[in-house]
Amino acid sequence: LRAQKHGFAESELERAKTNTLRRYEEMFNERDKTKSNLYADELVRHFLNEETAPGIAIEYDLQKKYLPSVKVGEVNEYAASLTLDKNQVVTVSIPEKAGLRVPERKDLEAVFTATKGKTVEPYVDEVSNAPLVDVPASNVTIAKTRELKDLGVTEWTLSNGIRVVIKPTDFKNDEIQFSAYSPGGLSLIPDSVYVSGTQAADIVNESGLGELDAVQLTKRLTGKIANVSPTISELQEGFYGQAAPKDLEVMFQMLYMYFMQPRKDTTAYQSMMTRQKTMYDGMSAYPEYVFIDSVTSLLSQRHLRGRMMSTKVLEEARLESAFRLYKERFSDAGDYTMFFVGNITPEALKPLALKYLGALPVTQRKETWRDVGPRMPEGALEKTVYKGMEKKCMVVQLFNGPFEWTVQNRYDLSALKELMMIKLREEIREEKGGTYGVGVDASPKKQPRSEYVISVNFGCNPERVEELLNTANSVLKKIIAEGASDEDLKKIQEIQRREREKAVKENSFWLQRLQQSYSMGDDPAQIVTYNTFVDGLTSKAIQQAAAKYFTFDKAKKFVLLPEKK
């Protein structure tokens, strides 16, 4: 409406042009790393929609040639030609809920009529051109260097205690991925402010940085490919982000500001809370949500920290508490480990790391996470939830227990998961025709307790619940008795080799695996020995894992059924 009445501002157009050129520059820089599926999609659009496909080099040249000549008057004239009186399509989507009134056509027309009559002020661009942040001088040095040559990794320990892990890759030309962690997280905050703590990082992330709100920050980052977001999980606090090599300093500046100049924005907080409550209100009408909420409550033994988020739970959050907890959790950088993976070298990273990481607060506090979370019941458990009217159901069966955290045990569990997926799909979906798909997960964890959870879930006709669940358990018991056939063993190995061959060419894989190794105290060298486990896989190993982890006498079974009439 503002664009129609007053037009776009010159500064808005210039930012749009700058961002567009930067995106094309990024695609051009990655032209020799572009994935095949993107080429395939472009060719499909070329043949089906007659979209031109000259290649990114020509497209980038055309953008550089013509985009600077686009005038704001031309854009405004075009916007005004898109009349909002004759070519509107309005759709309304609302839940089926007692007492909820469905708006009529006249109600919707009244909204647009009232809007058109409103007075809209011309846009005023309010954004500072001052530097994003001034950082005090630092005398921090690299106190220790370690080379992990088999991984191509360099590790520094700075004199202020921060550990920096660098993995140069050539997978992407214009990408550096970043993450950081410090032990502690939500486990170190009291139960009384737990919900506020779960929202703290998101609230700060939505608020902007320093003197800039979120909108102003976005404007200041025009033409930059750099972002950082804080995160607080149950056992850690930290960051994740990424940047193009030439914008890496901007990412460091944002990281510094999230430590030193976090922003508390009441408007952003209220907006975030409203969006979340609207979302959870809508989700609460779905039978699946009610089912998962009930299952979660039972598995956490109704622990305060084991509750699913909902509108009611969210009411416990407070802005002041959340912001205080954020500053408390991010008040000391001395025990952080930070990872940089991508088109970066230690030489290029060094001056930025010393300048910005050297200026972070270090208080020498000694802390780690605490085990204060919920525990799953040890014995068998069954629960049927009746919700919804449609003739469909959901079945979930879980096995859980203690787990010895070794690389061999973790690999054997992953191989067992692959065999479960193969055989359950064959029997329940293909042979019985009982479901569209079977979900399988097998997750070990070391912290706060070393344990595993295996889950099998599927949807089906309510009349077939017991039949298909018995079939699933027969498949699992057969794995205990017989292990894997030669054909299935070969299939598992092929799947795992193919997935690993693809994964090791992604920056995200190395970032995640390096952080997992460091945070769990594992030897990072295990990352590159994976194929030795694949090559050594045997049917007996899978059979033994199944016998150990399929604890049928302690299984937990949950079923969602339609409400009884």
Side-chain angles (χ1 to χ4, degrees):
L1 184 62
R2 176 177 63 78
Q4 277 210 319
K5 289 190 173 186
H6 301 292
F8 292 103
E10 182 78 37
S11 57
E12 291 180 287
L13 176 61
E14 290 307 312
R15 278 196 294 272
K17 288 158 67 172
T18 299
N19 284 331
T20 299
L21 276 178
R22 186 63 183 89
R23 287 195 300 270
Y24 273 89
E25 179 187 7
E26 181 183 24
M27 290 187 287
F28 178 77
N29 290 340
E30 301 289 4
R31 62 192 182 281
D32 60 330
K33 311 291 185 183
T34 304
K35 293 185 177 180
S36 300
N37 67 301
L38 298 179
Y39 282 123
D41 291 342
E42 186 173 17
L43 291 173
V44 168
R45 297 194 302 271
H46 173 67
F47 281 99
L48 297 184
N49 303 331
E50 298 184 351
E51 178 184 306
T52 57
I56 186 56
I58 293 176
E59 290 185 44
Y60 185 34
D61 283 341
L62 290 172
Q63 291 289 337
K64 289 188 291 184
K65 181 178 180 180
Y66 292 109
L67 193 58
S69 66
V70 175
K71 307 299 182 186
V72 70
E74 297 170 335
V75 175
N76 288 333
E77 183 180 351
Y78 178 71
S81 71
L82 302 175
T83 174
L84 297 180
D85 296 323
K86 298 178 181 178
N87 56 356
Q88 296 181 20
V89 176
V90 180
T91 64
V92 179
S93 177
I94 60 176
E96 292 184 11
K97 190 175 181 180
L100 189 61
R101 176 177 169 271
V102 179
E104 299 179 7
R105 175 173 180 143
K106 63 180 182 180
D107 299 319
L108 299 174
E109 289 177 341
V111 172
F112 285 87
T113 300
T115 301
K116 284 197 302 182
K118 285 186 176 181
T119 299
V120 181
E121 298 298 327
Y123 175 73
V124 177
D125 199 2
E126 297 178 350
V127 59
S128 169
N129 292 319
L132 192 61
V133 65
D134 291 321
V135 178
S138 162
N139 59 0
V140 165
T141 61
I142 297 175
K144 180 182 177 182
T145 298
R146 183 167 73 121
E147 300 288 343
L148 307 180
K149 294 183 178 180
D150 290 343
L151 299 177
V153 165
T154 298
E155 176 193 306
W156 297 331
T157 301
L158 304 186
S159 57
N160 63 358
I162 297 175
R163 188 163 50 175
V164 178
V165 180
I166 311 138
K167 166 67 177 174
T169 72
D170 59 1
F171 311 141
K172 289 276 193 177
N173 298 322
D174 217 20
E175 180 181 88
I176 300 168
Q177 293 201 12
F178 160 76
S179 70
Y181 79 90
S182 165
L186 298 171
S187 71
L188 299 185
I189 71 173
D191 286 350
S192 59
V193 290
Y194 176 73
V195 176
S196 294
T198 66
Q199 304 299 305
D202 287 340
I203 290 169
V204 171
N205 194 45
E206 294 254 342
S207 295
L209 278 172
E211 298 299 319
L212 302 174
D213 64 25
V215 174
Q216 293 169 332
L217 180 62
T218 299
K219 292 176 182 179
R220 287 292 302 279
L221 297 177
T222 297
K224 309 295 184 183
I225 297 179
N227 66 76
V228 178
S229 295
T231 178
I232 306 177
S233 64
E234 198 64 37
L235 304 180
Q236 299 175 351
E237 57 269 350
F239 298 90
Y240 58 90
Q242 65 178 49
K246 75 176 189 179
D247 298 321
L248 182 59
E249 185 164 12
V250 177
M251 189 184 81
F252 269 102
Q253 291 172 344
M254 294 176 70
L255 174 65
Y256 175 84
M257 293 180 74
Y258 273 121
F259 272 104
M260 306 301 293
Q261 300 177 25
R263 179 182 173 87
K264 180 176 66 174
D265 190 313
T266 303
T267 302
Y269 167 74
Q270 292 173 343
S271 175
M272 186 181 112
M273 290 294 109
T274 298
R275 292 197 309 273
Q276 288 195 78
K277 289 175 182 178
T278 300
M279 178 183 69
Y280 289 123
D281 280 342
M283 291 171 60
S284 64
Y286 289 92
E288 293 82 1
Y289 177 84
V290 175
F291 174 63
I292 295 172
D293 183 43
S294 178
V295 171
T296 301
S297 177
L298 287 172
L299 291 179
S300 69
Q301 302 189 73
R302 294 178 173 80
H303 194 287
L304 179 142
R305 296 179 182 234
R307 296 175 294 174
M308 273 185 64
M309 191 56 68
S310 65
T311 299
K312 182 179 179 181
V313 172
L314 203 58
E315 292 288 350
E316 298 176 22
R318 297 290 183 272
L319 175 58
E320 293 298 330
S321 296
F323 193 67
R324 174 178 56 79
L325 292 168
Y326 176 91
K327 291 197 293 183
E328 175 187 297
R329 287 291 84 225
F330 291 91
S331 62
D332 181 15
D335 60 353
Y336 265 82
T337 303
M338 301 189 177
F339 303 86
F340 298 85
V341 177
N343 187 9
I344 184 66
T345 63
E347 293 75 20
L349 186 67
K350 182 178 178 179
L352 296 174
L354 294 180
K355 177 180 179 179
Y356 290 97
L357 303 186
L360 294 179
V362 173
T363 64
Q364 304 298 331
R365 70 183 182 187
K366 303 295 182 183
E367 64 179 20
T368 187
W369 48 265
R370 296 186 303 149
D371 182 2
V372 296
R375 283 170 165 73
M376 291 180 65
E378 294 184 2
L381 190 63
E382 290 192 17
K383 174 73 174 181
T384 299
V385 177
Y386 297 91
K387 187 69 177 178
M389 304 305 296
E390 292 188 54
K391 193 177 181 181
K392 63 178 183 179
C393 78
M394 181 184 294
V395 180
V396 177
Q397 181 166 267
L398 301 176
F399 304 99
N400 70 293
F403 184 81
E404 185 181 357
W405 185 266
T406 68
V407 62
Q408 184 67 61
N409 285 345
R410 299 199 303 274
Y411 174 73
D412 290 343
L413 186 59
S414 71
L416 174 61
K417 173 186 173 181
E418 292 290 351
L419 182 61
M420 291 171 64
M421 293 171 66
I422 292 169
K423 306 312 291 185
L424 288 171
R425 182 174 61 245
E426 288 177 354
E427 292 295 324
I428 297 180
R429 176 180 173 178
E430 297 171 10
E431 181 67 27
K432 295 283 187 178
T435 184
Y436 286 113
V438 182
V440 176
D441 190 31
S443 301
K445 68 175 184 177
K446 185 179 181 180
Q447 300 169 346
R449 299 169 299 280
S450 195
E451 57 190 359
Y452 76 93
V453 177
I454 296 175
S455 66
V456 176
N457 66 84
F458 55 86
C460 65
N461 188 300
E463 283 80 16
R464 303 191 66 183
V465 169
E466 290 303 320
E467 172 202 353
L468 297 179
L469 189 56
N470 288 336
T471 299
N473 286 334
S474 295
V475 169
L476 303 185
K477 290 175 181 178
K478 188 175 181 180
I479 294 175
I480 294 176
E482 302 177 8
S485 67
D486 290 343
E487 180 182 356
D488 286 332
L489 202 63
K490 183 178 179 181
K491 190 181 298 184
I492 292 169
Q493 291 172 313
E494 288 176 350
I495 290 171
Q496 292 181 329
R497 289 192 188 103
R498 186 169 61 249
E499 289 180 346
R500 179 53 65 104
E501 182 182 5
K502 180 180 177 182
V504 295
K505 297 176 182 178
E506 299 286 343
N507 290 327
S508 57
F509 166 83
W510 285 98
L511 191 75
Q512 187 248 336
R513 289 308 172 92
L514 284 169
Q515 178 160 330
Q516 176 182 298
S517 296
Y518 275 79
S519 63
M520 297 298 165
D522 296 336
D523 182 359
Q526 295 173 354
I527 299 173
V528 294
T529 61
Y530 179 79
N531 281 341
T532 62
F533 292 95
V534 178
D535 295 340
L537 180 63
T538 64
S539 173
K540 184 177 181 180
I542 295 178
Q543 189 177 4
Q544 290 175 337
K548 183 189 300 183
Y549 301 128
F550 293 155
T551 52
F552 289 99
D553 60 326
K554 300 178 181 178
K556 292 154 181 67
K557 183 178 75 173
F558 307 99
V559 181
L560 170 65
L561 292 173
E563 296 174 35
K564 296 179 179 180
K565 296 181 180 179

